[in-house]
Amino acid sequence: MKPPANISNARFLLSYLLHHKKTYGLGIFLVFVTNWLAVNIPMHIGTSIDLLSGELEQNQELLVYNVAIVIGFALVMIVTRTISRILFFNPGRAIERELKNDAFAKLTLMQNDFYNEHETGKLISIVNNDINGVRALAGVVLLQIFNITFALSLTPVKMWQISPSLTLYCVLPVLVTFYIAHRAIAYMREMTKKRMVELQSLSSQTIGMLSGIEEIKAYQVQPWAATEFDGNNRAILTRSLKLARIRTLVLPIITYTDRIMKVLILAVGGSYLIQQNLTIGELTALLSYATLLAMPFISLGMIFSAYQTGMVSLESLRKILDQPVAETEQHHLEKSDRDALFSKGIEVKNLSYCYPGEERPTLKHISFSIIPGQTLGILGKVGSGKTTLVNCLNRYLDVEPGQLLIDGHDVTTLSKSDVRSAVRTITQEPFLFSDSVVNNIRFGSNKDAEALSLETALLQADMLNEVEQFPERENTLVGEKGILLSGGQKQRLSLSRAMYTPSKLMILDNVLSAVDNKTERYLLEQIFNNLRSESTLIVSHRASVLEKVDHILVLQDGEIVAQGNHQQLLETSDFYRETWELQQHGGDQS
């Protein structure tokens, strides 16, 4: 169960810590045991020193006992300290994994408007870089918080038992230390926030430049790119140096606290020793306690810094985790209802769509229906609204209620995953993962449906011969976004993916734009004869692609200006007839 978005960062983190409460609980207990053992050792050391100053023969048995206690406590401390660190560090890593999984799951639910507002590079930086601070917060920081708490509470108690007045002298440097740390913490938090934003900007800039590296080379602007990168990189360096300066100033002050305490113990305690208010053993024990406090104070400076980084990182991560998800996306149809979806078809009723920030609608009063068993075609020039219409059908774009119905269900009441279980879209520019040919074909396939053999799927997409020539055949990696393949090979591989398992409504959005005429004719034959979908919607600006479909919609300026089958449109639509004749003579109206 995810924590609500309106809670504080501390309570948000606590909700994840509680997933591992037994492990943390045992770890806290062992940290307490470690510190209890640590504060008792100086008492026995002091007693041993006092015994050495007396009658050694009479005190030998007691001396051996105290020395044995010191050795035994030290050995047990090694075990408890080691196990306690494991019990804190392992859950810290587990929480890092949980947060990454939750963040990625939330990103998969976000829609187009979210990604328009958040650059990919910044999101990557948040998930991969910022989360490191949260891992430290759930591991080493939490461990040291309890370690410091127990050390700074148990040690003064033991010191008070030896000399209350000398303990009060030691409180003064402690209070000064906490005051300085408190003032420094606000500055460090602000600097950490700014540095994190700058890291996200650098990550976003790097991805943008690497994506356009060919254009940078083509226009010979490498010096400009290097200068822009260096500017952001230098800003991060400047911010890091500012953080380093404050750490350099604050950390020594904190670490010198125990030295000041030792000076006070020697100065004041020496006079107590002369006045016989303290023994040499007790003074030694007090000096040992000052040493014991050294590590907590040294850790305190690092923990202040790590704590601030962790809280800022958590705040950054919550920009993803706290994103609201539409109510419809949290509820899905029962499996039987989902399997039955598209049994009656899709009805589009007076659909209009206007992109945010634009005044003129891209689609205007579109109405048609798609029924099971039907093959529908959409013809139009580039910019006529074809892809926008497709993105409304598959819910990539949100439409107004009542404009799009599946089996009578308003799509705005259905989750997008339910809609896309019935509507599968193959786009003109398919996305291929940096994986093997076979894994790209099997990606997203319906596991409950009967799949084609890999060979048949490749053959029907006219890719079999080419794949057999690849270095590792179907196990060949296609590179990031399929960069090792040509445009036509990408489209045919995506078509092979579409044919691999059956679907209800298959939308082919201009998927043959990058193939030659011979390959196009072969693929059209496979689509019409072998594509295992109940209905098919083919979108194209080529009339030749749509000859065999049952019904064609002609789209111009976002409106349906004509519809009918191929023969009817040749007789009734001037635009369709002119497009057909132009393309028959080798032209391509786009």
Side-chain angles (χ1 to χ4, degrees), residues 112-130:
N112 192 38
D113 54 350
F114 172 81
Y115 290 101
N116 288 336
E117 296 174 4
H118 298 81
E119 296 179 39
T120 303
K122 291 185 178 181
L123 296 175
I124 292 174
S125 180
I126 290 173
V127 174
N128 287 338
N129 298 330
D130 296 0

Side-chain angles (χ1 to χ4, degrees), residues 379 543 552 554 566 569-570 573-580:
L379 177 75
I552 302 170
V554 179
H566 174 68
L569 288 173
L570 285 177
S573 173
D574 293 338
F575 171 76
Y576 186 88
R577 182 173 57 255
E578 290 170 3
T579 302
W580 165 259

Side-chain angles (χ1 to χ4, degrees), residues 61-79:
E61 184 176 341
L62 190 57
L63 177 64
V64 171
Y65 168 79
N66 279 278
V67 171
I69 288 292
V70 171
I71 295 172
F73 280 11
L75 292 175
V76 175
M77 275 179 59
I78 295 173
V79 177

Side-chain angles (χ1 to χ4, degrees), residues 375-379 536-540 546 549-554:
T375 304
L376 184 69
I378 297 179
L379 177 75
T536 306
L537 174 61
I538 303 176
V539 180
S540 181
L546 307 177
V549 303
D550 300 326
H551 195 74
I552 302 170
L553 305 177
V554 179

Side-chain angles (χ1 to χ4, degrees), residues 280-546:
I280 294 177
E282 289 173 332
L283 185 62
T284 304
L286 285 170
L287 289 171
S288 298
Y289 285 128
T291 302
L292 273 181
L293 289 174
M295 286 309 299
F297 278 115
I298 291 172
S299 300
L300 198 61
M302 294 182 290
I303 292 308
F304 277 144
S305 175
Y307 174 80
Q308 289 308 312
T309 301
M311 295 307 289
V312 171
S313 297
L314 186 61
E315 192 174 315
S316 178
L317 193 63
R318 290 186 67 180
K319 293 177 183 177
I320 296 175
L321 294 172
D322 289 349
Q323 286 295 322
V325 177
E327 187 69 22
T328 54
E329 299 305 311
Q330 302 179 43
H331 303 285
H332 303 287
L333 296 173
E334 297 291 336
K335 187 178 186 303
S336 57
D337 295 331
R338 186 167 177 160
D339 291 341
L341 204 60
F342 195 72
S343 58
K344 297 178 183 178
I346 293 179
E347 184 179 4
V348 181
K349 300 171 64 175
N350 201 32
L351 171 64
S352 295
Y353 186 83
C354 183
Y355 284 98
E358 294 188 4
E359 297 181 359
R360 295 181 57 190
T362 304
L363 298 178
K364 292 166 278 189
H365 311 297
I366 303 290
S367 296
F368 66 93
S369 60
I370 309 172
I371 60 175
Q374 182 184 35
T375 304
L376 184 69
I378 297 179
L379 177 75
K381 296 180 181 180
V382 173
S384 61
K386 303 187 301 297
T387 298
T388 301
L389 177 56
V390 167
N391 289 335
C392 288
L393 292 174
N394 60 25
R395 288 297 309 281
Y396 185 72
L397 298 175
D398 290 321
V399 300
E400 294 295 325
Q403 294 185 336
L404 186 60
L405 308 174
I406 300 182
D407 293 351
H409 299 290
D410 192 320
V411 295
T412 60
T413 66
L414 301 174
S415 70
K416 291 180 172 65
S417 61
D418 285 338
V419 173
R420 290 165 190 165
S421 71
V423 181
R424 185 184 301 174
T425 306
I426 308 298
T427 64
Q428 178 180 354
E429 298 179 358
F431 185 90
L432 298 179
F433 292 92
S434 183
D435 206 332
S436 63
V437 170
V438 61
N439 285 341
N440 270 286
I441 291 175
R442 290 173 177 167
F443 173 77
S445 58
N446 186 348
K447 296 180 180 179
D448 297 328
E450 181 182 356
L452 294 175
S453 66
L454 181 64
E455 182 178 351
T456 302
L458 288 169
L459 179 64
Q460 291 182 1
D462 196 30
M463 275 292 288
L464 182 60
N465 291 335
E466 291 175 57
V467 170
E468 288 181 342
Q469 302 301 315
F470 289 169
E472 297 183 37
R473 299 166 61 88
E474 69 272 11
N475 293 317
T476 301
L477 298 179
V478 301
E480 186 178 0
K481 298 182 181 179
I483 194 172
L484 300 180
L485 304 179
S486 68
Q489 287 174 327
K490 291 179 189 178
Q491 288 188 343
R492 283 179 285 148
L493 194 59
S494 70
L495 195 58
S496 181
R497 177 193 289 169
M499 293 176 171
Y500 187 63
T501 55
S503 59
K504 296 176 181 178
L505 172 61
M506 176 67 69
I507 300 178
L508 304 175
D509 185 8
N510 220 12
V511 296
L512 305 179
S513 60
V515 301
D516 55 42
N517 291 334
K518 180 181 177 182
T519 304
E520 179 186 280
R521 287 194 294 271
Y522 174 81
L523 293 177
L524 284 172
E525 181 181 347
Q526 299 301 315
I527 289 171
F528 287 117
N529 297 328
N530 296 320
L531 188 63
R532 297 184 300 161
S533 60
E534 295 179 23
S535 296
T536 306
L537 174 61
I538 303 176
V539 180
S540 181
H541 60 266
R542 297 182 186 176
S544 57
V545 173
L546 307 177

